[in-house]
Amino acid sequence: MKRNPETYLDNCYGSRELNLLVEFSDLLGNKDINLNHVISQLGEHLLAERIILTIFNRESGQIFIEGLYGVSEEEKKDINYLPGEGIIGTVIETGKAVLIKKTGESESYLNRMRTPLKVNGEDVSFICVPIRYKNETIGTLSFHKIYGKSHILFDEDVRLLKIVGSMIGRAVRRKQEYAEEMAQLLNENQTLKGVLSNQIQSDNIIGNSGKMSDVFALIESVAATDATVLIRGESGVGKELIADAIHQNSHRKEKPFIKVNCAALPENLIESELFGHEKGAFTGAIATRAGRFEAADGGTLFLDEFGEIPLSTQVKLLRVIQQKEIERVGATKTIKTDVRIICATNRNLEELIQKGEFREDLYYRINVFPIYVPPLRERINDIPVLVNHFIDKFNKLHGKNIKRITSMAIDLLMVYHWPGNIRELENCLERACILSNDGVLRAHNMPPTLQTAVSSKTSETGTLETILEKHEKQLIMDAMVATKGNMVKAAKNLGITERMMGIRIKKYNIDPKRFKSRKADG
């Protein structure tokens, strides 16, 4: 039985086309779409000389090339079209496919990519179809093909091109919408961060590091609620400022914000301070006195150094938190209170619970919404902005005119471990501002403890090798600072070879780039 050649050709073509479309469906379904790979596969299937994918940019009003086959990046450099311009622009404008059987005979064919009009003496055809998404033309898909290879299957090629164009259109629009959505989310995120920073950062809360951004986000989340907050962190990190920010951004901001330093109150007076007392309740109680809870009614009560509260008071405090009522010392009736409680401590409450020095039930009552404030050594990148803040503050406070701080002085601040955190930094800068007489903060204006902290701590411990390596590393870093990161000069100053210098730079994980942009002190 003889086969019909045309039917056989159609069957083979259809089978290969189906496999190709299945493959394209998989490729275009991926999140990261490789359009050039899709174009290349299509080009090989169509025996095309070149394939061009263009996308219409709605914002700029121009048509840009997004995918190519058989064209170098250099050839397509800076080529774009306007709607109505050339074949591609016409297809974008009309939404209709265009077929040019012989490009050399067409006046409307612009040929900006300098595509050969003949290949091996044969004419080149050009087919361009619109890429549509819903009712909108968003781009074009076109290809060049030798006329002798294409004229028999022109209709099939156009049909396939339209199908693939439709698939690409959906994928491209998804990609565009995703990019636009992400851009919008990023813009909203930046806007909200700006609003958040303006709302939360008072004149004293400074920080733009990732860790402080997390803290600001937590403040923003909890401020609008009445949840009890436990602020944890080392001494000097600014826990009181965080409490103040929570209150100022809450619906209680017009009400009292009462602060109590629990560590500063004697054990026999802390109950009276918190809950008040009746006249004659104890020796010296010559009049009835309201406590801090009553003073904070409707507002916020900040209990600093919360871990220092004695066990006897913890029991009564637990009842206040649970029942929302207090009882003055020496009184028999209760008083209802509406107080939001914020606690702060630098102590390890979990260890205190293990030692029996802190009630576990009270711990769970106050640990509703914990906020950890990182120490300054964990957010060193905040130091420059903190320095600027404190310089402005002390210029006003002491009538100074400090205009800048030298890079060497900043270096000292950046490498110090800051056991006293921001409070210590503030004190150091106040001292430096007072000592400066020329409007510049220099390294020698800083306390001696900062100037020796880089090379040593309070005592030298460890083996001789460890101590010597510590000093060797410091000498190399000092040489790199002095030569602004020039390893050759640093090696010469230290009397060692460049090779020895390179070995030690690598051994101590010193980054020479860190020193290159630095200016000499003064």
Side-chain angles (χ1 to χ4, degrees):
M1 181 178 178
K2 292 184 179 181
R3 290 182 293 190
N4 185 318
E6 292 184 2
T7 304
Y8 179 69
L9 180 62
D10 289 342
N11 289 338
C12 291
Y13 190 84
S15 176
R16 288 190 294 113
E17 179 183 292
L18 181 59
N19 292 334
L20 186 71
L21 293 176
V22 170
E23 183 177 355
F24 285 172
S25 179
D26 291 337
L27 290 172
L28 295 171
N30 293 333
K31 182 180 178 182
D32 298 319
I33 305 169
N34 188 340
L35 290 175
N36 278 327
H37 182 58
V38 174
I39 300 300
S40 297
Q41 294 288 91
L42 181 62
E44 292 174 5
H45 176 81
L46 293 174
L47 303 177
E49 296 295 313
R50 291 184 170 188
I51 290 190
I52 304 168
L53 167 67
T54 65
I55 297 297
F56 177 59
N57 187 299
R58 293 175 294 182
E59 294 183 3
S60 68
Q62 291 183 306
I63 306 163
F64 295 95
I65 297 172
E66 291 292 329
L68 290 169
Y69 168 73
V71 185
S72 67
E73 287 294 320
E74 189 62 29
E75 287 178 289
K76 74 108 177 180
K77 188 177 181 182
D78 299 327
I79 294 179
N80 53 62
Y81 303 86
L82 294 173
E85 185 178 29
I87 304 300
I88 290 176
T90 300
V91 173
I92 287 285
E93 189 174 64
T94 63
K96 296 179 180 180
V98 172
L99 163 63
I100 297 179
K101 294 183 178 181
K102 298 180 181 181
T103 54
E105 299 176 0
S106 173
E107 295 181 359
S108 58
Y109 179 66
L110 298 179
N111 197 17
R112 287 184 173 172
M113 293 188 193
R114 302 293 185 266
T115 303
L117 302 180
K118 289 182 180 290
V119 175
N120 297 326
E122 295 190 68
D123 290 304
V124 174
S125 301
F126 181 70
I127 299 176
C128 183
V129 300
I131 294 177
R132 299 184 64 81
Y133 181 76
K134 296 183 179 178
N135 295 321
E136 180 184 1
T137 300
I138 66 171
T140 67
L141 189 59
S142 54
F143 77 97
H144 297 82
K145 193 172 182 179
I146 296 174
Y147 179 69
K149 296 179 180 179
S150 62
H151 71 280
I152 297 176
L153 297 173
F154 265 144
D155 292 341
E156 291 296 327
D157 290 343
V158 170
R159 184 174 63 83
L160 177 60
L161 223 56
K162 287 183 176 179
I163 294 173
V164 175
S166 177
M167 296 171 69
I168 291 177
R170 288 193 297 270
V172 168
R173 181 45 56 90
R174 284 200 308 269
K175 189 175 181 180
Q176 284 180 335
E177 290 175 346
Y178 176 76
E180 290 171 357
E181 182 181 356
M182 292 306 296
Q184 182 181 354
L185 288 174
L186 180 61
N187 183 55
E188 290 177 357
N189 181 265
Q190 294 299 326
T191 302
L192 288 173
K193 279 187 175 181
V195 172
L196 179 61
S197 296
N198 291 334
Q199 288 179 338
I200 292 176
Q201 293 192 36
S202 68
D203 290 338
N204 296 314
I205 299 184
I206 304 296
N208 52 18
S209 62
K211 291 193 174 183
M212 284 307 295
S213 294
D214 292 340
V215 171
F216 292 144
L218 291 173
I219 294 173
E220 195 268 343
S221 297
V222 76
T225 73
D226 282 329
T228 302
V229 180
L230 175 60
I231 306 172
R232 308 188 72 164
E234 297 177 6
S235 179
V237 295
K239 296 187 290 293
E240 183 176 328
L241 299 177
I242 300 298
D244 184 68
I246 293 173
H247 173 73
Q248 293 301 326
N249 287 276
S250 72
H251 63 87
R252 298 173 179 265
K253 63 182 178 181
E254 304 299 332
K255 299 294 183 178
F257 178 54
I258 305 298
K259 305 174 184 179
V260 181
N261 188 329
C262 300
L265 296 174
E267 185 175 342
N268 61 331
L269 292 179
I270 191 168
E271 287 186 27
S272 173
E273 285 293 324
L274 292 176
F275 310 125
H277 61 259
E278 294 291 331
K279 180 180 179 180
F282 51 83
T283 304
I286 58 176
T288 298
R289 182 175 181 274
R292 304 294 179 89
F293 269 92
E294 288 182 72
D297 190 48
T300 304
L301 180 64
F302 174 54
L303 301 176
D304 198 7
E305 304 292 349
F306 191 74
E308 306 297 333
I309 293 180
L311 281 170
S312 57
T313 305
Q314 290 178 29
V315 177
K316 295 184 178 181
L317 195 56
L318 178 63
R319 182 174 180 272
V320 172
I321 296 174
Q322 288 176 330
Q323 305 297 329
K324 302 293 184 182
E325 57 185 26
I326 61 168
E327 192 174 290
R328 291 175 182 169
V329 177
T332 56
K333 65 176 183 178
T334 60
I335 301 173
K336 288 287 185 181
T337 61
D338 174 23
V339 176
R340 199 244 184 99
I341 297 176
I342 300 177
C343 307
T345 183
N346 59 5
R347 300 194 64 181
N348 189 322
L349 298 182
E350 291 79 10
E351 286 187 1
L352 295 180
I353 292 173
Q354 293 295 324
K355 294 177 182 178
E357 298 176 7
F358 199 89
R359 293 182 63 94
E360 188 173 11
D361 48 3
L362 178 59
Y363 169 79
Y364 289 117
R365 280 290 179 183
I366 64 169
N367 197 36
V368 175
F369 195 93
I371 296 178
Y372 172 71
V373 186
L376 187 55
R377 64 180 174 275
E378 292 182 8
R379 50 186 183 103
I380 291 297
N381 291 336
D382 282 338
I383 286 181
V385 68
L386 285 166
V387 168
N388 290 334
H389 165 74
F390 287 129
I391 287 176
D392 289 341
K393 176 180 177 179
F394 297 129
N395 276 343
K396 296 174 184 176
L397 184 63
H398 300 301
K400 305 290 286 187
N401 187 30
I402 306 298
K403 296 178 180 177
R404 70 181 181 92
I405 181 171
T406 66
S407 58
M408 191 69 75
I410 279 287
D411 289 340
L412 287 176
L413 300 178
M414 295 290 281
V415 299
Y416 185 56
H417 57 288
W418 298 110
N421 291 294
I422 297 176
R423 186 181 295 129
E424 183 181 6
L425 174 64
E426 182 178 7
N427 293 339
C428 288
L429 289 170
E430 183 172 16
R431 176 187 188 275
C433 287
I434 292 172
L435 291 176
S436 175
N437 296 315
D438 60 357
V440 180
L441 296 189
R442 306 178 188 278
H444 64 261
N445 297 137
M446 300 298 166
T449 50
L450 261 66
Q451 299 182 44
T452 59
V454 179
S455 57
S456 66
K457 295 185 179 180
T458 54
S459 62
E460 293 282 58
T461 58
T463 64
L464 177 62
E465 182 180 1
T466 302
I467 295 172
L468 289 176
E469 285 182 347
K470 185 189 301 182
H471 283 280
E472 184 181 51
K473 178 180 180 180
Q474 185 56 46
L475 288 171
I476 291 173
M477 290 181 68
D478 289 343
M480 293 294 286
V481 170
T483 60
K484 302 177 185 177
N486 189 317
M487 289 178 59
V488 177
K489 288 184 179 180
K492 184 177 180 181
N493 292 347
L494 292 174
I496 61 177
T497 65
E498 294 178 36
R499 180 176 177 276
M500 293 170 66
M501 187 69 172
I503 291 173
R504 282 158 176 77
I505 286 285
K506 185 175 181 181
K507 175 182 179 182
Y508 298 121
N509 196 26
I510 298 172
D511 184 8
K513 295 179 182 178
R514 174 185 169 195
F515 306 92
K516 286 186 177 180
S517 61
R518 300 184 178 191
K519 298 178 181 178
D521 190 8

